Amino acid sequence: MKLCRYGPAGSEKPGLIDTDGQLRDLSAHVADLDAAAYDIANLARLAALDPKSLPSVEGTPRLGAPISRPGHFIAIGLNYADHAAEAGLPIPAEPVVFSKAPSCLNGPNDDVIIPNGSTKLDWEVELAFVIGRRAWQVDEAAALSHVAGYTVCNDISERAWQIEGTGQWIKGKSAPTFGPLGPWIVTADEIADPQALDLFLDLNGQRMQTGSTSTMIFSVATIVSYLSRLMVLEVGDLITTGTPPGVGMGRKPQLFLKPGDVMRLGIPGLGEQVQTVAAG
């Protein structure tokens, strides 16, 4: 299934994209695609529905983030060796873990707002996934059974806030609009191998990032198992898995986002996002 949320910001409705690409309304079956909706048992109930029986939604409404509010927004840094190299940092021996504030979540095509005081705003196309079953100290072999589905994330990053001063990453990753997500979440049963997905990001029509999850240092299964040995992963937790090379910070000279810039990014099978950068 492809699950999405559509409508004006703050008033989104739950939806499903059928095999013909038609948006269908799920409101009669679930109030919202919140954290609880991504429980694997709840997804099985939705999967049993006949999509053609659901009301079609006409036009092209705005799409919101496909989960209304994750319980925790966890991120993995430096998870591609070539990205670590462009950042001038060693390949990590274990996953680099930080958080993004859940309040940074943004629709896949909503504007990215440059906050006051920002000087080095950057982009990062990433594969993200949602937890669908509580995970505590799970083995890697069983880890993927805890994943509800996969989606596209743009891990917007304010590099000065992230790296300079005290250098705490969460500070540069959490402002409003810094977490574009979607356009939908594709349930795990439709993704044969999360380590065989291509990623791209274009800035103003120029290709900046090209990569494949096959080159991730730590796979999705490894990430789930590793995190679950440190903390309980709850249903609805959102985890984004790192970015391939090509970010603005790594270019020579460095390049950062400015008002009017347009980012287009995506993962085949998981959809695309388009964001315009706007001044705060």
Side-chain angles (χ1 to χ4, degrees):
M1 290 184 294
K2 292 184 175 70
L3 299 172
C4 65
R5 299 172 64 249
Y6 68 94
S11 302
E12 294 92 344
K13 295 181 178 180
L16 177 152
I17 308 295
D18 70 19
T19 55
D20 297 321
Q22 175 63 50
L23 174 59
R24 302 274 178 173
D25 182 24
L26 274 173
S27 297
H29 301 277
V30 62
D32 194 5
L33 292 172
D34 56 10
Y38 284 98
D39 184 285
I40 287 172
N42 288 333
L43 292 180
R45 179 176 60 83
L46 296 178
L49 300 173
D50 176 6
K52 303 299 184 185
S53 69
L54 302 171
S56 61
V57 179
E58 301 307 318
T60 55
R62 169 192 172 272
L63 293 179
I67 182 170
S68 61
R69 181 81 170 194
H72 196 171
F73 196 165
I74 304 169
I76 305 298
L78 303 176
N79 198 24
Y80 291 74
D82 35 13
H83 173 54
E86 73 173 352
L89 296 169
I91 296 173
E94 58 185 76
V96 175
V97 182
F98 61 96
S99 289
K100 292 173 72 74
S103 57
C104 80
L105 212 61
N106 203 29
N109 303 313
D110 292 345
D111 288 352
V112 168
I113 307 300
I114 303 176
N116 291 336
S118 169
T119 59
K120 296 180 178 180
L121 198 66
D122 208 346
W123 59 84
E124 295 190 3
V125 60
E126 304 195 1
L127 171 69
F129 61 92
V130 177
I131 294 295
R133 178 181 292 122
R134 183 181 186 273
W136 171 237
Q137 299 191 334
V138 300
D139 292 336
E140 192 167 325
L144 291 184
S145 69
H146 295 263
V147 175
Y150 299 90
T151 189
V152 182
C153 178
N154 191 355
D155 179 17
I156 299 295
S157 307
E158 211 305 324
R159 301 301 189 187
W161 298 354
Q162 175 190 357
I163 298 170
E164 298 171 15
T166 57
Q168 299 171 53
W169 285 21
I170 189 173
K171 297 189 306 183
K173 301 281 191 169
S174 295
T177 76
F178 277 24
L181 195 74
W184 37 70
I185 288 172
V186 179
T187 50
D189 60 293
E190 296 193 7
I191 303 300
D193 183 0
Q195 305 312 138
L197 300 171
D198 295 328
L199 308 89
F200 76 90
L201 184 144
D202 296 342
L203 177 64
N204 300 325
Q206 180 181 352
R207 182 60 48 92
M208 294 291 173
Q209 289 187 275
T210 302
S212 169
T213 59
S214 65
T215 66
M216 284 167 54
I217 300 168
F218 305 106
S219 68
V220 171
T222 299
I223 291 167
V224 172
S225 180
Y226 177 84
L227 291 175
S228 79
R229 296 181 188 281
L230 306 173
M231 66 187 80
V232 173
L233 298 176
E234 301 279 8
V235 172
D237 283 352
L238 176 64
I239 302 168
T240 192
T241 62
T243 197
V247 300
M249 179 181 66
R251 299 179 69 84
K252 294 182 175 31
Q254 292 182 329
L255 178 66
F256 297 112
L257 296 167
K258 63 185 184 305
D261 283 346
V262 177
M263 293 173 283
R264 184 176 72 91
L265 59 145
I267 300 174
L270 298 182
E272 295 187 4
Q273 307 178 354
V274 178
Q275 298 115 28
T276 300
V277 180

